[in-house]
Every structure is written in C-alpha cells, then in structure tokens.
C-alpha cells in the first residue's frame, strides 16, 4: 500500500465526485504492453480503463477540428497539449465515478508536469505500474502491431521518435514517484500471462 491511499481512500481530492476513487497510473514505453495488461486487469478486477491514446483517437475519429490538430501531433509521435489530455481524462473519470471500483490511467503521465497537474486537478495515485521492456522489444512489438493496427504512429520513423521521447520525458516520471514508494516495476519481457502474474501481485497488494 503506497502513501496516500490507505484503506483505499486517497486524501486531498480536487473534485468531489472523484474523492473516493482509487487511481492507478500505468506507465511504460510505447509497445511495452500497457493496454494489453490493462485489459487483463479489467477482466479480473473490474477497474475502469482509461487510455489517454484511446481518448485522443476517439476525438480524432469524430472528425472535429480539434481532432485534426491532435492527429497532426500524434502522427509525429509528439505529445498533445497537457490541458487537452488532462481535461479529457477528468471528464471521462467523472462520467464513471459513481460506478467505478477504481481507475487505470494508461499512458498518463508522460512527463513530470502532467503528474503534478493531475494531482492538483484530480487527486493522488495510490500505485504506479511501471511496465518495463527493452527498447528492442518495444520496437519489435510496435512494428508487428503496425501490420494490423492502422495507427498512423506505428510507422518506423514515428516509433523512433516516440521511443526517444519516452526516455527523455517519461522515464523521469518513474523516479519522481519512486520517492513516494508507490512504484511497482513489472518486467514486461515475458509472455502476456507471465507479465500479468506480476501485475496481479501488485494490484492485490492494494486490496
Ligand atoms: N508480453 C507480451 N509479449 C508479446 N507481445 C505483447 C506482449 N504484451 C503486448 N504485446 C503486443 O505488443 C503490442 C503492444 O502492446 P500494447 O498493449 O498495445 O502496448 P502499449 O499500450 O504499451 O503501447 C501489441 O501488438 C500487443 O499484442
Ligand atoms: N498523456 C499524454 N500526453 C500527451 N500526449 C499523449 C498522451 N497520451 C497519449 N498521447 C498522444 C501522443 C502519443 O504518441 C499518442 C499515442 O498514445 P498511446 O496510445 O498511449 O501510445 P502507446 O499505447 O503505444 O504507448 O497519443
Ligand atoms: Mg496503448
């Protein structure tokens, strides 16, 4: 049990509707397996999975003007503006707050400032799942995913940019939360089930 989430209730909520929500950040490089593990967590534990990338892709699919601007950023493998993604996550959380057993925030924070702003506007995470795979493993998985995903960012050049940005901007997020004792590092090199057995141990340490 990490600081700030004893008995499943986190302190100092910034939104009344979310004040009793359990929040788990799922952080790892592109292609490390965040989405895959989140699906398995939902299946077994019934948490609410919110993927920042999925929220953004839904906006792009809507064909809105904002979606067009986001698509141009994502195609290059860059980060969209912090306020945009944070507001989308907050709205999605509020919509599910009354029925959710807890939230898996997948793909956020991608930089330390995103974590700070999330805590100011929403609340503190009680666990950070750090999905750790080698760069070569992530690259191979993304190239393979690109054969069928239809994602404009699963292309060789954009994958390279995303990996570089991950090491530069997102890895510091892990060090930032390590100081609070809420980081659980998951070795994501094995099979989906091998990875999930570690993930399940981390989730159960919270119950
Ligand atoms: N443990 C694993 N072993 C092999 N392939 C995996 C594993 N976890 C995920 N994958 C595959 O790797 C790709 C990236 O996984 P995904 O869950 O989309 O990662 P992320 O959300 O971190 O980008 C997907 O095609 C997925 O099926
Ligand atoms: N928290 C965030 N801040 C800014 N941009 C984000 C973001 N989460 C996602 N994006 C944008 C930039 C990413 O390259 C793109 C795809 O994200 P994703 O679906 O989470 O990728 P993946 O699951 O492969 O790691 O969406
Ligand atoms: Mg994903």
């Amino acid at each position: 049990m990490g600081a700030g989430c004893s008995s499943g209730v986190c302190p100092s909520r910034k939104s009344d509707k979310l004040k009793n929500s359990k929040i788990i950040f799922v952080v790892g490089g592109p292609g490390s397996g965040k989405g895959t593990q989140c699906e398995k967590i939902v299946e077994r534990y019934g948490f609410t999975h919110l993927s920042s990338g999925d929220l953004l892709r839904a906006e792009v699919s809507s064909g809105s003007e904002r979606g067009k601007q986001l698509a141009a950023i994502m195609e290059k493998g860059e980060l969209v503006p912090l306020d945009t993604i944070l507001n989308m996550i907050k709205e999605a959380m509020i919509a599910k707050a009354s029925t959710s057993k807890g939230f898996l925030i997948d793909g956020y924070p991608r930089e330390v400032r995103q974590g700070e702003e999330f805590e100011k506007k929403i609340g503190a995470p009680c666990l950070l799942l750090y999905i750790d795979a080698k760069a070569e493993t992530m690259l191979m998985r993304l190239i393979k995913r690109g054969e069928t995903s239809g994602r404009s960012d699963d292309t060789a050049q954009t994958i390279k940019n995303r990996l570089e940005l991950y090491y530069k901007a997102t890895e510091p997020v892990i060090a930032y939360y390590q100081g609070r004792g809420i980081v659980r590092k998951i070795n994501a090199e094995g099979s989906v089930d091998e990875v999930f057995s570690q993930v399940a141990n981390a989730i159960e340490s919270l119950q």
Side-chain angles (χ1 to χ4, degrees), residues 98-133:
S98 59
T99 53
S100 181
K101 288 174 65 182
F103 291 96
L104 297 166
I105 308 297
D106 161 10
Y108 188 107
R110 264 178 155 87
E111 55 186 357
V112 169
R113 203 162 69 83
Q114 289 194 356
E116 291 170 342
E117 292 300 313
F118 184 103
E119 294 196 44
K120 277 190 211 153
K121 293 200 171 136
I122 300 174
C126 50
L127 174 68
L128 186 154
L129 287 175
Y130 166 28
I131 311 295
D132 181 38

Side-chain angles (χ1 to χ4, degrees), residues 1 24 37 41 44-45 127 129 184-186 193-207:
M1 182 80 56
I24 299 173
Q37 293 303 318
I41 298 171
R44 184 174 298 178
Y45 302 100
L127 174 68
L129 287 175
R184 288 289 294 258
K185 182 172 174 173
I186 306 296
D193 287 343
E194 280 163 1
V195 178
F196 186 61
S197 71
Q198 302 167 61
V199 167
N201 282 339
I203 300 282
E204 279 169 26
S205 74
L206 279 180
Q207 316 281 318

